[in-house]
Amino acid sequence: MPGPPLEPMGMNLWGPLTGVDVFAPGRADLAGGTLDLWPLYCFHPGAVTVNVALGEGVRLRAWRLPDEEVVRLRLPGATPVEFKPAPVPGQLVPAVAAAFVPEGGVELAVVEQLPFGSGLGGSSVLAVAVARACLALAGRRLSPPRLVALLKDVEAAVLGTPTGCQDYYPALLGGALAIQLVPGGERMERLVRRRRWIEQRLVVIYTGAPHHSGMVNWEVYRRRVDGDRLVAAALGEIAAAARECRAAIVVRNERAVGRAIAAEWQARRRLAPEVSTPELERVIEAGLGAGALAGKACGAGGGGSVLLWTVPADREAVAAAALAAAGEDARRVSTAARPPSLVLEGAVA
């Protein structure tokens, strides 16, 4: 697969470069998810997605294999596997590597990863980490909008489902974002002075039950494009709640944020039966019972992780109650600020 026109970094990194270490954070979406799928935002003018980068994500090390046409992938605790750098049905890593390192090969060792099906943007975060590593090894770079546009298409081709943009930008930019979804692309609003404020009020619990976001999103996508009035109304309410969430964060009104998140979840549950599950509801109800202002599933729902919004004084009690109500494989996900990073030969880039 030929790669896109790439911008040189100003030096040839092939020779002495021994490795690249990349971290790309996952995200928790407070409001407005699903609307980032084209053309859904075109049907709902003013759509916005509000999310925040987490303290967990994908970290990997990469090395160039100049004499081998292969992608060698090492996952924690697993036997290394090899692929040709070409699209493989259902295999995201070799397709991303092929798009960014069209000649030669690469070895990728994943050191840290999000739980499969966590609802925290795992596959897109992995794609960002692989792409950034391969671009660095090739001595090239792409601007975030161009990189996101390409990764969306690569992931859609490999996974066979529509893809949006909201998972990629937190992995690339970090922080808290309001992604304005407008015809012709998207505009980033960095909520720079609100990142710590959000962290102090946010709890994320991985329930231990993976979800399949593509299946849930496809059902919603199909019904909306087909003109389903109930889905259209629910997405309209989600868009309105997301705008309210963004406005409340800007003025630091924690209770208004809670009301917006609660409204978003009520509307989201009406999108499709698969969005909510008894496990998710149990965790959310436990958090609300401990004082949370609102709760919702992360991502498309159907399993994965739960987001709870609370006042700082109740945060630990809310987290403990929600975790106790989840399954034995559940755990709390770090929301502490951890920005994206890329390290070349010991120098931070």
Side-chain angles (χ1 to χ4, degrees), residues 16-260:
L17 185 62
T18 57
V20 179
D21 191 300
V22 177
F23 173 71
R27 60 96 188 102
D29 55 314
L30 279 70
T34 307
L35 287 166
D36 61 318
L37 298 171
W38 182 89
L40 299 190
Y41 56 84
C42 300
F43 304 155
H44 299 275
V48 59
T49 293
V50 182
N51 59 31
V52 61
L54 298 171
E56 298 185 27
V58 173
R59 179 173 167 244
L60 60 81
R61 283 190 56 79
W63 300 267
R64 184 197 173 213
L65 300 174
D67 300 322
E68 301 181 57
E69 291 281 344
V70 66
V71 177
R72 186 174 299 133
L73 177 64
R74 300 176 183 270
L75 297 175
T79 302
V81 293
E82 292 188 356
F83 307 91
K84 288 292 184 182
V88 178
Q91 297 289 343
L92 183 60
V93 171
V96 173
F100 296 100
V101 184
E103 296 180 4
V106 63
E107 180 168 347
L108 302 161
V110 177
V111 179
E112 175 186 341
Q113 61 185 343
L114 292 163
F116 173 76
S118 64
L120 305 175
S123 63
S124 300
V125 176
L126 176 61
V128 167
V130 172
R132 292 196 70 202
C134 290
L135 284 168
L137 289 172
R140 299 290 186 268
R141 61 160 55 104
L142 283 175
S143 66
R146 291 182 66 199
L147 182 55
V148 170
L150 179 58
L151 287 175
K152 282 169 53 180
D153 288 349
V154 171
E155 189 168 356
V158 171
L159 302 183
T161 59
T163 53
C165 66
Q166 78 143 327
D167 296 347
Y168 300 106
Y169 280 108
L172 284 167
L173 304 177
L177 300 172
I179 305 173
Q180 308 286 344
L181 304 163
V182 297
E186 55 273 348
R187 292 199 298 263
M188 294 302 107
E189 179 185 4
R190 296 195 193 219
L191 305 173
V192 178
R193 299 183 182 274
R194 305 298 182 264
R195 173 64 181 85
R196 177 62 177 162
W197 185 82
I198 293 171
E199 179 186 328
Q200 293 170 339
R201 292 157 176 79
L202 183 64
V203 172
V204 177
I205 302 293
Y206 171 56
T207 65
H211 78 153
H212 299 282
S213 61
M215 293 167 47
V216 177
N217 276 335
W218 172 245
E219 179 63 18
V220 173
Y221 186 95
R222 181 188 62 79
R223 290 174 61 189
R224 179 63 183 92
V225 172
D226 283 347
D228 187 304
R229 293 183 179 180
L230 294 178
V231 170
L235 285 174
E237 291 177 28
I238 288 172
R243 290 192 293 271
E244 293 168 7
C245 182
R246 178 245 166 225
I249 289 174
V250 169
V251 298
R252 303 189 187 189
N253 186 332
E254 63 190 13
R255 295 194 176 274
V257 173
R259 289 192 295 270

